[in-house]
Short mmCIF file of all heavy atoms in Angstrom, two decimals:
data_model
loop_
_atom_site.label_atom_id
_atom_site.label_comp_id
_atom_site.label_asym_id
_atom_site.label_seq_id
_atom_site.Cartn_x
_atom_site.Cartn_y
_atom_site.Cartn_z
N LEU A 190 12.38 -30.84 26.93
CA LEU A 190 13.43 -31.85 27.13
C LEU A 190 13.82 -31.90 28.60
O LEU A 190 14.07 -32.98 29.14
CB LEU A 190 14.67 -31.48 26.31
CG LEU A 190 14.70 -31.88 24.86
CD1 LEU A 190 16.05 -31.53 24.25
CD2 LEU A 190 14.48 -33.40 24.70
N GLU A 191 13.87 -30.73 29.25
CA GLU A 191 14.27 -30.68 30.65
C GLU A 191 13.29 -31.47 31.51
O GLU A 191 13.67 -32.14 32.46
CB GLU A 191 14.36 -29.22 31.13
CG GLU A 191 15.57 -28.51 30.54
CD GLU A 191 15.50 -26.98 30.67
OE1 GLU A 191 14.53 -26.49 31.27
OE2 GLU A 191 16.43 -26.30 30.20
N ILE A 192 11.98 -31.41 31.15
CA ILE A 192 10.97 -32.17 31.89
C ILE A 192 11.25 -33.66 31.76
O ILE A 192 11.25 -34.41 32.74
CB ILE A 192 9.54 -31.82 31.38
CG1 ILE A 192 9.22 -30.36 31.71
CG2 ILE A 192 8.52 -32.78 31.95
CD1 ILE A 192 7.97 -29.85 31.03
N LEU A 193 11.59 -34.10 30.49
CA LEU A 193 11.89 -35.53 30.29
C LEU A 193 13.15 -35.93 31.05
O LEU A 193 13.23 -37.05 31.59
CB LEU A 193 12.05 -35.80 28.80
CG LEU A 193 10.81 -35.56 27.92
CD1 LEU A 193 11.13 -35.80 26.47
CD2 LEU A 193 9.69 -36.52 28.36
N GLN A 194 14.14 -35.02 31.07
CA GLN A 194 15.38 -35.34 31.79
C GLN A 194 15.10 -35.60 33.27
O GLN A 194 15.64 -36.54 33.86
CB GLN A 194 16.38 -34.17 31.66
CG GLN A 194 16.96 -34.04 30.26
CD GLN A 194 17.58 -32.66 29.97
OE1 GLN A 194 17.81 -31.89 30.89
NE2 GLN A 194 17.83 -32.37 28.71
N ARG A 195 14.25 -34.75 33.86
CA ARG A 195 13.93 -34.93 35.28
C ARG A 195 13.24 -36.26 35.55
O ARG A 195 13.40 -36.86 36.57
CB ARG A 195 13.04 -33.78 35.79
CG ARG A 195 13.82 -32.51 36.05
CD ARG A 195 13.02 -31.54 36.93
NE ARG A 195 11.84 -30.99 36.26
CZ ARG A 195 11.83 -29.86 35.54
NH1 ARG A 195 12.93 -29.14 35.41
NH2 ARG A 195 10.73 -29.42 35.00
N LYS A 196 12.45 -36.71 34.56
CA LYS A 196 11.71 -37.97 34.69
C LYS A 196 12.51 -39.18 34.22
O LYS A 196 12.03 -40.30 34.25
CB LYS A 196 10.43 -37.93 33.86
CG LYS A 196 9.38 -36.96 34.31
CD LYS A 196 8.14 -37.15 33.44
CE LYS A 196 7.12 -36.07 33.62
NZ LYS A 196 6.16 -36.04 32.50
N ASN A 197 13.76 -38.91 33.70
CA ASN A 197 14.54 -39.99 33.09
C ASN A 197 13.76 -40.66 31.95
O ASN A 197 13.86 -41.89 31.77
CB ASN A 197 14.92 -41.02 34.14
CG ASN A 197 16.42 -40.99 34.36
OD1 ASN A 197 17.16 -40.70 33.43
ND2 ASN A 197 16.86 -41.27 35.58
N ALA A 198 13.00 -39.91 31.20
CA ALA A 198 12.17 -40.48 30.15
C ALA A 198 12.79 -40.23 28.76
O ALA A 198 13.64 -39.35 28.60
CB ALA A 198 10.78 -39.87 30.21
N ASP A 199 12.39 -41.03 27.79
CA ASP A 199 12.84 -40.88 26.43
C ASP A 199 12.14 -39.71 25.73
O ASP A 199 10.99 -39.38 26.06
CB ASP A 199 12.57 -42.16 25.62
CG ASP A 199 13.67 -43.17 25.82
OD1 ASP A 199 14.71 -42.83 26.44
OD2 ASP A 199 13.51 -44.32 25.35
N ALA A 200 12.82 -39.13 24.76
CA ALA A 200 12.20 -38.11 23.93
C ALA A 200 11.63 -38.76 22.67
O ALA A 200 12.18 -39.74 22.17
CB ALA A 200 13.24 -37.05 23.54
N PRO A 201 10.53 -38.24 22.14
CA PRO A 201 10.03 -38.76 20.86
C PRO A 201 11.09 -38.55 19.77
O PRO A 201 11.80 -37.55 19.81
CB PRO A 201 8.79 -37.90 20.57
CG PRO A 201 8.42 -37.26 21.87
CD PRO A 201 9.70 -37.14 22.63
N LEU A 202 11.18 -39.45 18.83
CA LEU A 202 12.09 -39.23 17.69
C LEU A 202 11.67 -37.95 16.98
O LEU A 202 10.49 -37.71 16.77
CB LEU A 202 12.03 -40.41 16.71
CG LEU A 202 12.96 -41.57 16.96
CD1 LEU A 202 12.97 -42.48 15.74
CD2 LEU A 202 14.37 -41.16 17.31
N GLY A 203 12.66 -37.14 16.58
CA GLY A 203 12.35 -35.91 15.86
C GLY A 203 12.57 -34.66 16.68
O GLY A 203 12.55 -33.57 16.16
N TRP A 204 12.84 -34.83 17.98
CA TRP A 204 13.09 -33.65 18.82
C TRP A 204 14.59 -33.32 18.84
O TRP A 204 14.95 -32.15 18.81
CB TRP A 204 12.64 -33.91 20.28
CG TRP A 204 11.17 -33.93 20.45
CD1 TRP A 204 10.19 -34.15 19.52
CD2 TRP A 204 10.45 -33.68 21.70
NE1 TRP A 204 8.96 -34.07 20.10
CE2 TRP A 204 9.08 -33.81 21.42
CE3 TRP A 204 10.86 -33.42 23.00
CZ2 TRP A 204 8.12 -33.63 22.42
CZ3 TRP A 204 9.90 -33.25 23.99
CH2 TRP A 204 8.54 -33.36 23.68
N VAL A 205 15.44 -34.37 18.91
CA VAL A 205 16.90 -34.15 19.00
C VAL A 205 17.63 -35.09 18.08
O VAL A 205 17.08 -36.14 17.66
CB VAL A 205 17.43 -34.36 20.45
CG1 VAL A 205 16.94 -33.27 21.38
CG2 VAL A 205 17.03 -35.73 20.97
N GLN A 206 18.88 -34.74 17.75
CA GLN A 206 19.75 -35.66 17.02
C GLN A 206 21.02 -35.80 17.84
O GLN A 206 21.35 -34.95 18.68
CB GLN A 206 20.03 -35.14 15.62
CG GLN A 206 20.84 -33.87 15.60
CD GLN A 206 21.09 -33.31 14.18
OE1 GLN A 206 20.50 -33.78 13.24
NE2 GLN A 206 22.02 -32.38 14.08
N ASP A 207 21.78 -36.89 17.58
CA ASP A 207 23.05 -37.08 18.29
C ASP A 207 24.15 -36.31 17.54
O ASP A 207 23.91 -35.66 16.55
CB ASP A 207 23.36 -38.55 18.47
CG ASP A 207 23.63 -39.28 17.15
OD1 ASP A 207 23.92 -38.59 16.13
OD2 ASP A 207 23.58 -40.51 17.13
N LYS A 208 25.37 -36.44 18.05
CA LYS A 208 26.45 -35.61 17.49
C LYS A 208 26.83 -35.99 16.07
O LYS A 208 27.55 -35.23 15.42
CB LYS A 208 27.67 -35.67 18.42
CG LYS A 208 28.29 -37.04 18.56
CD LYS A 208 29.44 -37.02 19.58
CE LYS A 208 29.97 -38.44 19.74
NZ LYS A 208 30.96 -38.50 20.85
N THR A 209 26.39 -37.15 15.59
CA THR A 209 26.67 -37.50 14.17
C THR A 209 25.51 -37.11 13.27
O THR A 209 25.60 -37.26 12.05
CB THR A 209 26.92 -39.03 14.02
OG1 THR A 209 25.70 -39.71 14.37
CG2 THR A 209 28.05 -39.49 14.92
N GLY A 210 24.42 -36.63 13.86
CA GLY A 210 23.29 -36.19 13.03
C GLY A 210 22.19 -37.23 12.91
O GLY A 210 21.26 -37.07 12.10
N HIS A 211 22.27 -38.33 13.69
CA HIS A 211 21.23 -39.33 13.64
C HIS A 211 20.14 -39.03 14.66
O HIS A 211 20.41 -38.55 15.77
CB HIS A 211 21.80 -40.72 13.85
CG HIS A 211 22.68 -41.17 12.71
ND1 HIS A 211 24.05 -41.09 12.77
CD2 HIS A 211 22.35 -41.61 11.48
CE1 HIS A 211 24.55 -41.52 11.59
NE2 HIS A 211 23.51 -41.82 10.79
N ALA A 212 18.90 -39.36 14.32
CA ALA A 212 17.75 -39.19 15.19
C ALA A 212 18.01 -39.93 16.51
O ALA A 212 18.63 -41.00 16.49
CB ALA A 212 16.49 -39.71 14.52
N SER A 213 17.58 -39.37 17.59
CA SER A 213 17.84 -39.98 18.90
C SER A 213 16.65 -39.82 19.83
O SER A 213 15.93 -38.83 19.76
CB SER A 213 19.09 -39.34 19.52
OG SER A 213 19.17 -39.64 20.88
N HIS A 214 16.48 -40.81 20.72
CA HIS A 214 15.45 -40.76 21.76
C HIS A 214 15.99 -40.16 23.06
O HIS A 214 15.24 -39.98 24.01
CB HIS A 214 14.93 -42.17 22.07
CG HIS A 214 13.91 -42.68 21.12
ND1 HIS A 214 12.68 -42.07 20.96
CD2 HIS A 214 13.93 -43.73 20.25
CE1 HIS A 214 11.98 -42.74 20.03
NE2 HIS A 214 12.73 -43.73 19.59
N ASN A 215 17.30 -39.91 23.13
CA ASN A 215 17.97 -39.56 24.38
C ASN A 215 17.71 -38.08 24.74
O ASN A 215 18.18 -37.16 24.08
CB ASN A 215 19.46 -39.83 24.24
CG ASN A 215 20.23 -39.51 25.49
OD1 ASN A 215 19.66 -39.03 26.49
ND2 ASN A 215 21.52 -39.76 25.46
N ALA A 216 16.98 -37.85 25.83
CA ALA A 216 16.63 -36.48 26.23
C ALA A 216 17.86 -35.71 26.70
O ALA A 216 17.84 -34.48 26.83
CB ALA A 216 15.57 -36.51 27.33
N ASN A 217 18.96 -36.44 26.96
CA ASN A 217 20.19 -35.76 27.43
C ASN A 217 21.21 -35.56 26.28
O ASN A 217 22.36 -35.26 26.50
CB ASN A 217 20.86 -36.62 28.51
CG ASN A 217 20.02 -36.64 29.78
OD1 ASN A 217 19.91 -35.62 30.47
ND2 ASN A 217 19.36 -37.76 30.05
N GLU A 218 20.74 -35.74 25.05
CA GLU A 218 21.63 -35.71 23.90
C GLU A 218 22.43 -34.40 23.77
O GLU A 218 23.57 -34.40 23.34
CB GLU A 218 20.77 -35.97 22.63
CG GLU A 218 21.52 -36.52 21.45
CD GLU A 218 22.12 -37.89 21.70
OE1 GLU A 218 21.40 -38.92 21.59
OE2 GLU A 218 23.32 -37.94 21.98
#
Side-chain angles (χ1 to χ4, degrees):
Chain A
L190 277 184
E191 289 165 1
I192 294 169
L193 296 177
Q194 288 161 15
R195 282 197 292 269
K196 293 186 191 161
N197 248 328
D199 275 353
L202 271 193
W204 288 22
V205 291
Q206 65 181 13
D207 67 19
K208 64 184 176 187
T209 64
H211 291 101
S213 165
H214 279 297
N215 181 358
N217 293 289
E218 204 63 81

